[in-house]
Amino acid sequence: MEEVIHARGHEHVSAEHASTFEVTSDDWLTPAGDCILAVEADRVPADFDAKFVDACRDADARIAV
């Protein structure tokens, strides 16, 4: 299964959080958002196919980014 998100970088992206990553549809970011990988995403999880979301919830799911 595959979902594609297009997003942009930002000067405050550090992606240094130890256990979480996020892509946001917001167009701004503060330095405190250390889990953010990209901004201005054209899609959010609410847009994803329900089967994809269910598959991601499986404890054995492997997700490649």
Side-chain angles (χ1 to χ4, degrees):
M1 301 180 111
E2 182 177 277
E3 291 284 348
V4 177
I5 302 170
H6 296 100
R8 302 176 55 88
H10 188 279
E11 65 182 304
H12 295 306
V13 166
S14 68
E16 293 180 348
H17 196 277
S19 63
T20 304
F21 66 87
E22 180 180 345
V23 174
T24 181
S25 59
D26 292 337
D27 62 355
W28 56 273
L29 176 63
T30 69
D34 66 344
C35 65
I36 306 292
L37 299 178
V39 298
E40 295 187 62
D42 62 350
R43 302 180 70 223
V44 296
D47 300 325
F48 295 172
D49 184 283
K51 291 179 183 178
F52 179 84
V53 174
D54 287 342
C56 289
R57 290 181 175 142
D58 187 307
D60 295 324
R62 296 189 68 163
I63 302 172
V65 178

